[in-house]
Amino acid sequence: MASLALLLLSGYFIHHTLSALLTSLVLAYLLNPLLKYLERKGLGRLPALGILYVALAVILTVSFFILVPYLGHQLQTLKDTIRTTC
């Protein structure tokens, strides 16, 4: 019984580990062409990675600040529409 519980628990933790590993691999695969482009332009690998990660963080932050108010407005409109039709 204890070995079954240990097996299930390890499966739970492996699931999260594999998920994080897969996400990292996909991100590295997608950013590799941009990294190679920046390296061909004369940047070292570490500065090129820094530029890519900062650019990715800026893009995610800006999209978050644009997307959240838009979704809030859409949800408010949906709520008002449901109220008027019911």
Side-chain angles (χ1 to χ4, degrees):
M1 189 66 157
S3 62
L4 178 64
L6 185 61
L7 181 67
L8 290 175
L9 185 63
S10 66
Y12 175 77
F13 287 117
I14 288 174
H15 168 73
H16 290 290
T17 303
L18 290 177
S19 173
L21 180 65
L22 183 62
T23 303
S24 300
L25 288 173
V26 168
L27 186 62
Y29 178 76
L30 292 174
L31 291 179
N32 192 39
L34 292 172
L35 180 67
K36 290 200 181 277
Y37 173 77
L38 290 174
E39 285 179 334
R40 278 194 310 263
K41 291 295 180 183
L43 284 175
R45 191 165 186 85
L46 193 58
L49 276 172
I51 289 171
L52 286 177
Y53 282 130
V54 167
L56 186 63
V58 167
I59 289 169
L60 288 174
T61 302
V62 168
S63 64
F64 178 76
F65 281 113
I66 291 172
L67 189 62
V68 168
Y70 176 74
L71 289 176
H73 173 71
Q74 292 295 320
L75 287 173
Q76 184 64 37
T77 304
L78 177 65
K79 187 170 89 173
D80 293 342
T81 304
I82 290 173
R83 250 191 232 156
T84 58
T85 59
C86 292

